[in-house]
Amino acid sequence: MTQEFVSRDLKHPFDDDKLHEECGVFGIYGHPEAAALAALGLHALQHRGQEAAGIVSHDGRHFHSHKGMGKVGDNFSTEEVIKSLKGSAAVAHNRYATTGGTVLRNVQPIFADLANGGLAVAHNGNLTNAATLRHRLVLEGSIFQSTMDTEVIIHLIANSKKIRIVDCLVDAMSKITGAYSLVALTSKKLIGMRDPYGVRPLVLGRFENAPILTSESCALDIIGAEFVRDVSPGEVVVIDESGITSHFPFSLPPKRFCIFEHIYFARPDSVVEGRSVYEVRKAIGAELARENGVEADLVIPVPDSGTPAAIGYAQEAGLPFDLGIIRNHYVGRTFIEPTDQIRHLGVKLKHNANRALINGKRVILVDDSIVRGTTSTKIVQMVRDAGASEVHMRIASPPTTNSCFYGVDTPSREKLLAAQYDVEAMRAFIGADSLSFISLDGLYRAMGEEGRNPKQPQYCDACFTGDYPIELVDHETGAEQELTLLAEGF
Ligand code: SF4
């Protein structure tokens, strides 16, 4: 197992100027190759977390676990490891995290021996009252092994007065606020659960009669599994020898799926909440062109995440689409403290302008979002250095003005460029000739809505609006800060 080490050197890889999804989950029940299939599923979900990976399996008598820091391939590429994960049921997890710290004891799935048997839990999202609950549990005598919010779930289950494990899990989650999609494995059941707002995705699939629960449909495609349906917000799916049962134990508020999954987080080949992510991104690009057209010669994506929106923009605007920036896919994450100077160097390592194409052209650059603005600044300069006569930046999301508290790693608010500056000041900061963002209503139109319903927004869009659908208990009480400090010293 990979050696344990502390998170400080990992926290902000130098080239990170994006929001990051924190996790991907996968669970399978009733297949002799459960661990191997789970490892493949994790490969497809690698974009949702690259800092650690883990699988827990069950062979009918015992649980088996393997976890490690790094990518899936660093941890699950040998036959020996896969064979050690015996059994026909498994849960698996990819992690990108800052909360909780990146140490091996914080790698999921988290496992515990409870009075009613063993339980492994893998979770995507963020529990917004975890620090408050943890504080209370510690006062009541609980001893925590990690700083993960997921461990709070385990302690709540252990303290539940219910008898059956599913009831204990539901009882535990009834005390929790936050955004979560989780998979849990007991000796007899695979359980999937999605928070009542349905913020994070979870889908149900099937491979050779073995049910699968996972974050995105691309994890089904990789093994040729069939997509069955999305797990509904607030739904608890219980899979065991007798089949699949569905429960709705919580009261259901109107759904608020994370709109950023469509803009950036989910893989473009996934179908999320009934929509092709690729098609949605193209529609966002087309809407962006309708709202923010400009005379130009060429539309260029900031690779890779800006590509589908740039295609949509170019098609709508009737302009040529070309790859004017080439991304180096072989630059790994570099664990260097993120001084501004290093970040700037990092962008040069990762992207290069296609000078022969750009020279003398009026260029529209399309990207999915602006976070700190450091990458955009360097990209604009790079395109100018390659001879572009004009550089117009178009962004396929509204200005990101607020942090996410629902399982996405965002810089603190004061580091978000759009929280500090208006659009004209942002344009000057990144050095573009013009800068425009898709409007909030335009984004909703691209999602197939008539616009954003201000009385009852159809999605979570809090990072653009500050309208947080789920109570931010720890943030408001300051308990969040205490847990962060604890994680740093853990
Ligand atoms: Fe998604 Fe933004 Fe809501 Fe976070 S705040 S769940 S990133 S829409």
Side-chain angles (χ1 to χ4, degrees):
M1 215 175 255
T2 313
Q3 203 182 357
E4 188 161 335
F5 58 97
V6 182
S7 64
R8 276 186 287 277
D9 297 338
L10 275 167
K11 256 188 173 175
H12 294 294
F14 77 109
D15 59 351
D16 272 2
D17 191 17
K18 293 282 179 199
L19 303 187
H20 283 276
E21 184 68 65
E22 286 191 357
C23 304
V25 298
F26 187 96
I28 182 164
Y29 185 90
H31 196 285
E33 303 276 354
L37 294 166
L40 285 166
L42 287 186
H43 271 291
L45 298 173
Q46 188 74 83
H47 60 292
R48 297 183 76 87
Q50 297 100 45
E51 288 188 0
I55 298 177
V56 173
S57 68
H58 190 263
D59 65 6
R61 291 188 66 191
H62 301 293
F63 285 91
H64 306 273
S65 168
H66 186 87
K67 307 180 203 180
M69 308 303 301
K71 293 185 180 168
V72 182
D74 301 331
N75 293 293
F76 296 101
S77 52
T78 68
E79 210 179 325
E80 189 190 343
V81 167
I82 297 297
K83 276 194 171 158
S84 73
L85 293 164
K86 298 186 190 103
S88 60
V91 285
H93 189 263
N94 271 344
R95 176 176 171 82
Y96 177 98
T98 53
T99 56
T102 307
V103 292
L104 191 53
R105 69 167 76 88
N106 279 349
V107 177
Q108 299 187 40
I110 186 168
F111 176 79
D113 262 320
L114 304 173
N116 32 18
L119 175 74
V121 178
H123 152 234
N124 170 213
N126 189 44
L127 311 182
T128 56
N129 65 342
T132 305
L133 288 171
R134 180 191 169 103
H135 189 70
R136 201 194 74 207
L137 286 161
V138 168
L139 288 178
E140 288 168 2
S142 294
I143 298 169
F144 279 76
Q145 303 291 320
S146 76
T147 51
M148 275 186 295
D149 54 359
T150 319
E151 196 180 349
V152 171
I153 301 173
I154 298 280
H155 283 278
L156 289 173
I157 292 170
N159 289 352
S160 173
K161 302 284 181 274
K162 305 282 183 190
I163 307 296
R164 297 185 319 150
I165 191 95
V166 176
D167 296 333
C168 292
L169 181 59
V170 169
D171 188 32
M173 298 316 284
S174 70
K175 298 179 173 65
I176 277 169
T177 59
Y180 56 83
S181 282
L182 64 81
V183 291
L185 184 66
T186 73
S187 59
K188 297 204 166 57
K189 296 178 197 300
L190 172 67
I191 304 162
M193 194 182 266
R194 210 171 158 203
D195 77 73
Y197 289 88
V199 174
R200 304 259 74 88
L202 190 67
V203 301
L204 177 67
R206 187 182 295 113
F207 181 67
E208 296 175 350
N209 277 331
I212 293 171
L213 291 161
T214 187
S215 297
E216 285 183 43
S217 62
C218 64
L220 302 174
D221 295 339
I222 194 172
I223 54 175
E226 171 198 354
F227 172 83
V228 177
R229 64 177 175 86
D230 287 296
V231 174
S232 297
E235 182 177 1
V236 180
V237 177
V238 180
I239 299 165
D240 58 20
E241 273 185 5
S242 59
I244 302 175
T245 51
S246 169
H247 311 263
F248 288 89
F250 309 115
S251 60
L252 293 178
K255 179 173 164 182
R256 299 289 292 272
F257 183 66
C258 167
I259 206 162
F260 228 120
E261 290 278 354
H262 281 290
I263 295 166
Y264 174 67
F265 301 138
R267 244 173 65 160
D269 52 336
S270 283
V271 174
V272 171
E273 293 289 294
R275 289 177 184 277
S276 152
V277 174
Y278 183 79
E279 290 302 329
V280 166
R281 286 184 193 165
K282 272 177 65 183
I284 292 172
E287 188 67 34
L288 188 58
R290 284 191 286 276
E291 286 189 343
N292 297 292
V294 61
E295 281 199 17
D297 302 311
L298 201 56
V299 178
I300 288 176
V302 177
D304 296 322
S305 51
T307 303
I311 292 171
Y313 190 107
Q315 285 176 352
E316 182 65 23
L319 289 169
F321 165 90
D322 258 307
L323 299 179
I325 299 169
I326 306 302
R327 180 171 170 186
N328 181 350
H329 287 267
Y330 305 100
V331 179
R333 282 172 172 263
T334 304
F335 306 135
I336 301 172
E337 270 305 300
T339 63
D340 281 346
Q341 194 182 359
I342 294 294
R343 278 202 202 103
H344 289 196
L345 284 175
V347 174
K348 280 184 193 159
L349 277 171
K350 204 169 173 184
H351 297 108
N352 193 28
N354 187 350
R355 179 180 289 274
L357 179 78
I358 288 173
N359 196 21
K361 304 264 175 56
R362 296 170 299 170
V363 166
I364 297 173
L365 278 176
V366 179
D367 204 353
D368 57 87
S369 57
I370 292 182
V371 182
R372 291 185 179 90
T374 48
T375 302
S376 305
T377 306
K378 294 307 292 181
I379 295 269
V380 169
Q381 189 58 48
M382 184 190 298
V383 171
R384 282 203 195 285
D385 290 346
S389 58
E390 292 174 21
V391 183
H392 302 279
M393 194 82 176
R394 295 293 178 268
I395 305 298
S397 60
T400 305
T401 49
N402 294 275
S403 301
C404 176
F405 297 90
Y406 304 141
V408 170
D409 178 37
T410 24
S412 55
R413 191 161 187 268
E414 62 274 10
K415 294 199 176 117
L416 295 171
L417 196 66
Q420 303 304 316
Y421 297 131
D422 63 16
V423 174
E424 172 50 25
M426 291 174 79
R427 182 206 63 73
F429 181 91
I430 66 170
D433 292 287
S434 73
L435 169 67
S436 303
F437 295 79
I438 192 169
S439 69
L440 203 53
D441 277 331
L443 176 60
Y444 274 78
R445 281 195 293 276
M447 304 291 306
E449 307 283 342
E450 283 181 13
R452 182 180 194 260
N453 178 352
K455 290 196 184 125
Q456 185 48 67
Q458 304 91 319
Y459 290 87
C460 177
D461 53 20
C463 44
F464 311 127
T465 60
D467 174 7
Y468 292 97
I470 304 171
E471 207 183 347
L472 307 178
V473 180
D474 293 343
H475 183 68
E476 277 153 17
T477 61
E480 180 188 69
Q481 188 68 13
E482 280 173 39
L483 193 60
T484 305
L485 290 173
L486 187 65
E488 281 173 4
F490 218 71

